Amino acid sequence: MLTNTLASGLEIVEKELQSVVNSDVDILTDAGLHLIKSGGKRLRPQLSILAYLAAGGENVAEVAPIGAAIEMVHTATLVHDDINDHSMMRRGKLTVHAKWGRTFALLAGDYLFTKVYELMAPFGAEYNVIMSDACTKLVEGETLQAQAAKAGEMDRETYKTIISRKTASLFEAGARMGAMLAGAEEKLIEALSSYAYNLGLTFQIVDDILDIIGDPETMGKPVGTDLAQNRGVTAAQNGGLDEVATAVAEADDPIAQMMAKLRESGAMDIARMQAQEMAERAREALKSVAESEAKDEMTNLIELVLERQS
């Protein structure tokens, strides 16, 4: 039953995403659909739907536009992130800037952000304030990351602040709005929000680990991007990467050598322990949520996030 309900909700999300990017300026439509149709985990809208169902919601069509809005924010950030990272591949396809150029990619990313307003308009001020706050934190997190990477000051506390804002805030907002839309009491809203926040932290730590040990073909994008820019979870271990970087500075392929050294250094083990800790906090938050198929699926998501390879 839950499988069908969730699939139905995600199908609506997909239709919303593809419909809302339509423009009479063809390049904006084409660029939006290029990324939307390339796939993705759709984890963020799943959380909105599952939180809604776990809080007693019954009509997934009611919450799907919120899931679509959350996913649209994420999609817009990918366009801009790929420009900043000089990435040429995303989800196994050319990035928007690789296909259309930097100027049109910037405009396409802006366009996708503005479409979030259209998706959120029917939900009123309270929901829009939550979305606005999440988007603000996301930009703050990305800015702090760029500052720390440039200054070479990516310690563990800074790293946690960054990922809590740039990733976990959007996870949390989706679950919070889903639970609110179902009419949940405040205690349940906070429990589901805490779960999603900690799942978001787990997701980002694992994502940063995969930037070192992941398979580019499986992931559909290059690895080593964070390392090359002195950021990510490995940059936060022991105050940075200076010792490892010095050891490989003379290598023909310093990034490849640095990745190899990091695999040997134990930094990945520390990062995995951090991911496990955040995952346990997500599990703890679910303890106060009533038993349901939606709760079971949320528990399963924790393991899927921890074990993912792409």
Side-chain angles (χ1 to χ4, degrees):
M1 176 67 76
L2 176 67
T3 302
N4 293 337
T5 302
L6 186 56
S8 175
L10 291 174
E11 183 178 349
I12 298 171
V13 167
E14 213 64 31
K15 288 178 180 177
E16 291 272 5
L17 289 171
Q18 294 187 28
S19 174
V20 79
V21 298
N22 284 329
S23 170
D24 58 6
V25 180
D26 291 343
I27 194 170
L28 293 175
T29 303
D30 293 344
L33 291 176
H34 174 76
L35 194 50
I36 289 167
K37 289 187 174 182
S38 68
K41 300 172 186 64
R42 302 295 191 250
L43 180 58
R44 293 159 185 82
Q46 280 189 60
L47 286 175
S48 297
I49 295 169
L50 288 171
Y52 171 82
L53 294 171
E58 297 179 352
N59 179 15
V60 291
E62 181 182 25
V63 72
I66 283 179
I70 289 286
E71 186 68 12
M72 185 63 79
V73 172
H74 174 58
T75 302
T77 65
L78 296 182
V79 178
H80 288 167
D81 285 352
D82 287 337
I83 296 171
N84 291 336
D85 296 343
H86 309 290
S87 296
M88 304 303 288
M89 299 295 293
R90 167 73 66 176
R91 297 171 178 169
K93 293 186 177 182
L94 286 174
T95 57
V96 173
H97 78 90
K99 189 173 176 66
W100 282 280
R102 187 174 184 273
T103 297
F104 287 119
L106 284 169
L107 292 169
D110 292 344
Y111 177 70
L112 296 179
F113 267 119
T114 61
K115 283 297 179 174
V116 176
Y117 289 102
E118 188 174 328
L119 288 164
M120 289 298 299
F123 294 96
E126 187 176 15
Y127 290 86
N128 278 274
V129 168
I130 293 170
M131 179 66 89
S132 174
D133 181 62
C135 291
T136 299
K137 287 177 179 175
L138 189 157
V139 176
E140 289 172 343
E142 291 286 358
T143 303
L144 288 172
Q145 177 173 272
Q147 286 181 327
K150 184 176 182 179
E153 297 175 350
M154 184 71 80
D155 57 35
R156 293 183 188 182
E157 194 59 37
T158 301
Y159 173 74
K160 185 175 179 182
T161 299
I162 289 167
I163 66 172
S164 70
R165 296 191 187 191
K166 80 168 192 173
T167 304
S169 62
L170 205 57
F171 279 61
E172 178 185 13
R176 180 177 295 277
M177 290 189 288
M180 287 169 55
L181 202 59
E185 295 182 356
E186 189 62 28
K187 183 178 179 181
L188 179 55
I189 293 171
E190 291 305 320
L192 291 167
S193 299
S194 177
Y195 157 81
Y197 173 82
N198 285 290
L199 187 70
L201 295 177
T202 308
F203 180 91
Q204 189 58 58
I205 295 171
V206 172
D207 198 68
D208 291 341
I209 292 170
L210 290 173
D211 185 63
I212 304 298
I213 66 171
D215 173 38
E217 187 172 340
T218 301
M219 296 178 69
K221 62 181 181 178
V223 297
T225 303
D226 288 338
L227 188 58
Q229 299 182 29
N230 193 31
R231 68 187 194 195
V233 69
T234 52
Q237 307 305 334
N238 302 316
L241 298 169
D242 292 344
E243 184 178 342
V244 176
T246 301
V248 299
E250 303 301 320
D252 292 336
D253 188 344
I255 296 300
Q257 290 296 316
M258 196 178 291
M259 289 169 72
K261 287 285 185 182
L262 280 167
R263 292 186 189 105
E264 299 168 3
S265 70
M268 297 297 94
D269 294 332
I270 296 172
R272 287 202 177 280
M273 287 174 61
Q274 292 171 344
Q276 290 283 359
E277 180 184 347
M278 297 305 108
E280 187 54 41
R281 292 183 184 182
R283 291 189 194 95
E284 188 66 27
L286 283 180
K287 288 183 177 179
S288 60
V289 178
E291 296 299 324
S292 68
E293 287 185 283
K295 178 182 175 178
D296 291 342
E297 183 60 24
M298 295 173 95
T299 302
N300 292 338
L301 278 180
I302 299 173
E303 297 307 317
L304 289 174
V305 166
L306 281 171
E307 296 172 6
R308 71 190 184 93
Q309 300 298 315
S310 66

